[in-house]
Amino acid sequence: FATQGSDALRWYLVSSPILRGGDLNIDKDGKAIGEIVRLVIHPIWNAYSFFCLYANADKIQAKVRSDASGVLDRYILAKLRTTVERVTATMDAYDLAGACSEIRAFLDALNNWYIRRSRARFWRGELDQDKKDAYDTLYTVLTTLCKLAAPFLPFVTEEVYRGLTGEKSVHLVDWPEAAKLPADAELVRNMDRVREVCSTALGLREEKRLRVRMPLALLVVAGDWHDAL
Protein backbone atom coordinates (compact mmCIF):
# COMPACT_ATOMS: atom_id res chain seq x y z
CA PHE A 1 0.00 0.00 0.00
CA ALA A 2 2.77 2.43 0.95
CA THR A 3 4.94 1.92 -2.12
CA GLN A 4 2.64 0.88 -4.98
CA GLY A 5 -0.82 1.86 -3.73
CA SER A 6 -3.89 -0.17 -2.84
CA ASP A 7 -5.42 0.15 -6.32
CA ALA A 8 -2.40 -1.54 -7.88
CA LEU A 9 -2.59 -4.44 -5.43
CA ARG A 10 -6.36 -4.74 -5.92
CA TRP A 11 -6.01 -4.92 -9.70
CA TYR A 12 -3.11 -7.36 -9.40
CA LEU A 13 -5.18 -9.74 -7.29
CA VAL A 14 -8.47 -9.60 -9.22
CA SER A 15 -6.66 -10.10 -12.54
CA SER A 16 -4.61 -13.01 -11.21
CA PRO A 17 -5.14 -16.80 -11.41
CA ILE A 18 -6.33 -16.76 -7.78
CA LEU A 19 -9.88 -15.94 -8.85
CA ARG A 20 -9.85 -18.94 -11.17
CA GLY A 21 -8.61 -21.31 -8.48
CA GLY A 22 -4.99 -21.08 -9.50
CA ASP A 23 -1.80 -20.34 -7.58
CA LEU A 24 -0.11 -16.97 -7.23
CA ASN A 25 3.37 -16.15 -6.05
CA ILE A 26 3.94 -12.53 -5.05
CA ASP A 27 7.56 -11.45 -5.35
CA LYS A 28 8.99 -9.81 -2.26
CA ASP A 29 10.04 -6.59 -4.00
CA GLY A 30 6.60 -6.13 -5.59
CA LYS A 31 7.86 -5.73 -9.18
CA ALA A 32 4.77 -7.42 -10.62
CA ILE A 33 2.50 -5.04 -8.73
CA GLY A 34 4.64 -2.15 -9.90
CA GLU A 35 3.94 -3.24 -13.46
CA ILE A 36 0.24 -2.61 -12.80
CA VAL A 37 1.11 0.97 -11.94
CA ARG A 38 3.04 1.32 -15.19
CA LEU A 39 0.62 -0.49 -17.50
CA VAL A 40 -2.78 0.39 -16.02
CA ILE A 41 -2.77 3.26 -13.53
CA HIS A 42 -0.28 5.53 -15.28
CA PRO A 43 -2.08 5.31 -18.67
CA ILE A 44 -5.34 6.42 -17.03
CA TRP A 45 -3.64 9.23 -15.18
CA ASN A 46 -1.62 10.30 -18.22
CA ALA A 47 -4.75 10.54 -20.37
CA TYR A 48 -6.44 12.58 -17.64
CA SER A 49 -3.42 14.88 -17.28
CA PHE A 50 -3.23 15.37 -21.03
CA PHE A 51 -6.88 16.38 -21.18
CA CYS A 52 -6.62 18.75 -18.21
CA LEU A 53 -3.47 20.41 -19.49
CA TYR A 54 -4.99 21.52 -22.78
CA ALA A 55 -8.58 22.00 -21.60
CA ASN A 56 -7.40 24.37 -18.88
CA ALA A 57 -5.12 26.22 -21.30
CA ASP A 58 -7.99 26.66 -23.77
CA LYS A 59 -10.53 27.32 -20.98
CA ILE A 60 -12.71 24.55 -22.40
CA GLN A 61 -15.62 23.00 -20.54
CA ALA A 62 -16.08 19.73 -22.39
CA LYS A 63 -19.30 17.76 -22.36
CA VAL A 64 -20.48 14.20 -22.92
CA ARG A 65 -21.07 13.71 -26.64
CA SER A 66 -20.87 10.72 -28.93
CA ASP A 67 -21.79 12.23 -32.31
CA ALA A 68 -18.37 13.41 -33.54
CA SER A 69 -17.87 12.64 -37.23
CA GLY A 70 -14.06 12.31 -37.40
CA VAL A 71 -12.74 8.82 -38.04
CA LEU A 72 -10.55 8.76 -34.90
CA ASP A 73 -13.43 9.96 -32.73
CA ARG A 74 -15.84 7.45 -34.24
CA TYR A 75 -13.29 4.69 -33.73
CA ILE A 76 -12.53 5.32 -30.06
CA LEU A 77 -16.22 5.77 -29.21
CA ALA A 78 -17.16 2.55 -31.00
CA LYS A 79 -14.19 0.81 -29.38
CA LEU A 80 -15.44 2.06 -26.01
CA ARG A 81 -18.90 0.67 -26.71
CA THR A 82 -17.42 -2.74 -27.48
CA THR A 83 -15.35 -2.55 -24.30
CA VAL A 84 -18.38 -1.65 -22.18
CA GLU A 85 -20.28 -4.60 -23.66
CA ARG A 86 -17.44 -7.03 -23.04
CA VAL A 87 -16.64 -5.84 -19.53
CA THR A 88 -20.32 -6.02 -18.59
CA ALA A 89 -20.57 -9.56 -19.96
CA THR A 90 -17.41 -10.78 -18.25
CA MET A 91 -18.42 -9.29 -14.91
CA ASP A 92 -21.88 -10.83 -15.19
CA ALA A 93 -20.07 -14.13 -15.65
CA TYR A 94 -17.82 -13.41 -12.63
CA ASP A 95 -14.79 -13.35 -14.91
CA LEU A 96 -13.03 -10.39 -13.29
CA ALA A 97 -9.68 -11.23 -14.86
CA GLY A 98 -11.36 -11.11 -18.27
CA ALA A 99 -12.83 -7.71 -17.47
CA CYS A 100 -9.40 -6.42 -16.47
CA SER A 101 -7.98 -7.68 -19.75
CA GLU A 102 -10.64 -5.80 -21.75
CA ILE A 103 -10.00 -2.54 -19.89
CA ARG A 104 -6.26 -2.83 -20.33
CA ALA A 105 -6.65 -3.45 -24.06
CA PHE A 106 -8.80 -0.34 -24.34
CA LEU A 107 -6.19 1.76 -22.53
CA ASP A 108 -3.69 0.81 -25.21
CA ALA A 109 -6.07 1.98 -27.94
CA LEU A 110 -6.79 5.20 -26.07
CA ASN A 111 -3.27 6.28 -25.16
CA ASN A 112 -1.09 4.76 -27.83
CA TRP A 113 -3.42 5.39 -30.75
CA TYR A 114 -6.25 7.87 -30.23
CA ILE A 115 -4.42 10.46 -28.13
CA ARG A 116 -1.17 10.16 -30.07
CA ARG A 117 -2.96 10.48 -33.40
CA SER A 118 -5.04 13.42 -32.08
CA ARG A 119 -2.32 15.52 -30.47
CA ALA A 120 -2.21 18.03 -33.31
CA ARG A 121 -5.93 18.65 -32.89
CA PHE A 122 -5.42 19.77 -29.29
CA TRP A 123 -2.35 21.83 -30.18
CA ARG A 124 -4.19 23.79 -32.86
CA GLY A 125 -4.61 27.46 -31.96
CA GLU A 126 -8.07 27.91 -33.43
CA LEU A 127 -10.97 26.40 -31.50
CA ASP A 128 -12.80 24.95 -34.49
CA GLN A 129 -15.36 22.15 -34.57
CA ASP A 130 -12.73 19.45 -34.97
CA LYS A 131 -10.95 20.62 -31.83
CA LYS A 132 -14.23 20.74 -29.89
CA ASP A 133 -15.00 17.21 -31.08
CA ALA A 134 -11.61 16.05 -29.80
CA TYR A 135 -12.20 17.58 -26.36
CA ASP A 136 -15.75 16.26 -26.05
CA THR A 137 -14.81 12.81 -27.27
CA LEU A 138 -11.87 12.45 -24.89
CA TYR A 139 -14.01 13.76 -22.02
CA THR A 140 -16.76 11.26 -22.85
CA VAL A 141 -14.26 8.43 -23.04
CA LEU A 142 -12.53 9.30 -19.76
CA THR A 143 -15.72 9.71 -17.73
CA THR A 144 -17.12 6.45 -19.11
CA LEU A 145 -13.83 4.66 -18.51
CA CYS A 146 -13.85 5.79 -14.87
CA LYS A 147 -17.29 4.26 -14.38
CA LEU A 148 -16.14 1.06 -16.05
CA ALA A 149 -12.92 0.71 -14.05
CA ALA A 150 -14.29 1.95 -10.71
CA PRO A 151 -14.83 -1.53 -9.22
CA PHE A 152 -11.21 -2.41 -9.96
CA LEU A 153 -9.46 0.91 -9.27
CA PRO A 154 -11.75 2.67 -6.79
CA PHE A 155 -9.38 5.42 -5.68
CA VAL A 156 -7.76 6.41 -8.97
CA THR A 157 -11.07 6.50 -10.82
CA GLU A 158 -12.62 8.52 -8.01
CA GLU A 159 -9.92 11.16 -8.24
CA VAL A 160 -10.10 11.36 -12.03
CA TYR A 161 -13.91 11.33 -12.25
CA ARG A 162 -14.38 14.01 -9.62
CA GLY A 163 -11.69 16.13 -11.24
CA LEU A 164 -13.42 15.87 -14.61
CA THR A 165 -17.04 16.29 -13.56
CA GLY A 166 -17.10 17.96 -10.16
CA GLU A 167 -19.64 15.34 -9.08
CA LYS A 168 -19.60 13.77 -5.63
CA SER A 169 -18.40 10.28 -6.50
CA VAL A 170 -17.98 7.88 -9.40
CA HIS A 171 -19.31 5.17 -7.10
CA LEU A 172 -22.70 6.89 -6.90
CA VAL A 173 -23.38 6.96 -10.65
CA ASP A 174 -24.98 4.32 -12.83
CA TRP A 175 -23.04 1.69 -14.72
CA PRO A 176 -22.33 2.91 -18.30
CA GLU A 177 -24.82 1.90 -20.99
CA ALA A 178 -23.22 0.62 -24.17
CA ALA A 179 -26.32 1.55 -26.19
CA LYS A 180 -25.60 5.25 -25.61
CA LEU A 181 -22.37 4.92 -27.59
CA PRO A 182 -22.17 4.53 -31.39
CA ALA A 183 -21.61 1.07 -32.84
CA ASP A 184 -19.30 0.55 -35.81
CA ALA A 185 -17.89 -2.98 -35.76
CA GLU A 186 -16.30 -2.67 -39.20
CA LEU A 187 -14.41 0.52 -38.31
CA VAL A 188 -13.20 -0.99 -35.03
CA ARG A 189 -12.09 -4.17 -36.79
CA ASN A 190 -10.23 -2.35 -39.56
CA MET A 191 -8.61 0.22 -37.26
CA ASP A 192 -7.46 -2.50 -34.89
CA ARG A 193 -5.86 -4.22 -37.87
CA VAL A 194 -4.04 -1.01 -38.78
CA ARG A 195 -2.84 -0.75 -35.16
CA GLU A 196 -1.63 -4.34 -35.31
CA VAL A 197 0.32 -3.65 -38.50
CA CYS A 198 1.93 -0.54 -36.98
CA SER A 199 2.83 -2.41 -33.80
CA THR A 200 4.40 -5.28 -35.74
CA ALA A 201 6.32 -2.88 -37.98
CA LEU A 202 7.62 -1.03 -34.91
CA GLY A 203 8.80 -4.32 -33.44
CA LEU A 204 10.64 -5.16 -36.68
CA ARG A 205 12.26 -1.72 -36.68
CA GLU A 206 13.57 -2.31 -33.18
CA GLU A 207 14.79 -5.77 -34.15
CA LYS A 208 16.65 -4.37 -37.18
CA ARG A 209 17.74 -1.26 -35.26
CA LEU A 210 16.03 1.10 -37.69
CA ARG A 211 15.13 4.51 -36.27
CA VAL A 212 11.41 5.23 -36.07
CA ARG A 213 11.70 8.38 -38.19
CA MET A 214 13.64 6.64 -40.95
CA PRO A 215 11.25 6.19 -43.93
CA LEU A 216 10.79 2.67 -45.25
CA ALA A 217 11.06 2.11 -48.99
CA LEU A 218 8.57 -0.75 -48.85
CA LEU A 219 6.29 -2.44 -46.32
CA VAL A 220 4.59 -5.70 -47.19
CA VAL A 221 1.65 -6.79 -45.04
CA ALA A 222 0.76 -10.47 -45.29
CA GLY A 223 -2.71 -11.66 -44.39
CA ASP A 224 -6.12 -12.58 -45.75
CA TRP A 225 -7.64 -9.20 -44.75
CA HIS A 226 -5.45 -6.76 -46.66
CA ASP A 227 -8.34 -5.57 -48.85
CA ALA A 228 -10.00 -4.06 -45.77
CA LEU A 229 -7.11 -1.67 -45.11
Side-chain angles (χ1 to χ4, degrees):
F1 283 9
T3 58
Q4 306 292 2
S6 57
D7 273 359
L9 179 58
R10 181 185 180 93
W11 181 284
Y12 180 73
L13 292 175
V14 298
S15 62
S16 74
I18 280 182
L19 296 187
R20 298 189 294 273
D23 297 326
L24 177 66
N25 295 321
I26 300 179
D27 53 301
K28 292 182 179 180
D29 55 6
K31 285 185 177 180
I33 301 172
E35 282 294 284
I36 302 302
V37 176
R38 184 177 70 87
L39 297 174
V40 180
I41 296 178
H42 280 172
I44 294 176
W45 193 261
N46 289 342
Y48 170 58
S49 298
F50 177 88
F51 174 86
C52 290
L53 176 66
Y54 292 101
N56 290 335
D58 286 328
K59 295 180 172 58
I60 288 291
Q61 180 59 59
K63 59 183 179 180
V64 174
R65 276 181 52 223
S66 58
D67 59 350
S69 59
V71 64
L72 281 171
D73 297 329
R74 290 189 292 112
Y75 164 70
I76 201 64
L77 289 168
K79 182 75 171 177
L80 179 61
R81 173 175 175 141
T82 300
T83 303
V84 171
E85 291 172 341
R86 291 178 177 175
V87 171
T88 302
T90 52
M91 291 185 71
D92 285 345
Y94 297 100
D95 179 12
L96 300 187
C100 289
S101 178
E102 294 292 344
I103 293 173
R104 184 168 161 182
F106 179 78
L107 288 173
D108 181 67
L110 174 62
N111 286 66
N112 295 327
W113 191 257
Y114 176 77
I115 291 180
R116 285 190 179 185
R117 303 279 77 76
S118 297
R119 282 175 179 170
R121 303 166 69 194
F122 293 93
W123 295 341
R124 188 179 303 143
E126 181 184 358
L127 185 59
D128 56 11
Q129 187 59 49
D130 182 59
K131 190 173 183 179
K132 291 179 181 178
D133 287 348
Y135 274 118
D136 289 344
T137 297
L138 184 53
Y139 179 83
T140 301
V141 169
L142 287 173
T143 53
T144 305
L145 178 63
C146 283
K147 299 174 186 178
L148 202 62
F152 306 96
L153 303 167
F155 296 106
V156 172
T157 54
E158 179 81 327
E159 184 73 15
V160 173
Y161 187 80
R162 291 180 64 180
L164 288 169
T165 67
E167 296 179 14
K168 189 173 182 179
S169 174
V170 70
H171 304 293
L172 297 176
V173 299
D174 292 335
W175 184 254
E177 296 181 33
K180 291 185 177 181
L181 296 164
D184 196 332
E186 183 178 4
L187 174 59
V188 170
R189 182 172 59 254
N190 289 339
M191 189 72 80
D192 283 347
R193 287 169 173 171
V194 173
R195 290 175 51 219
E196 183 181 353
V197 169
C198 292
S199 178
T200 302
L202 181 61
L204 291 173
R205 279 180 176 275
E206 293 176 351
E207 180 182 321
K208 301 297 182 180
R209 297 183 179 180
L210 295 176
R211 297 191 307 274
V212 174
R213 294 188 179 184
M214 179 182 293
L216 298 178
L218 179 67
L219 176 67
V220 178
V221 179
D224 58 2
W225 39 261
H226 61 277
D227 290 337
L229 299 179

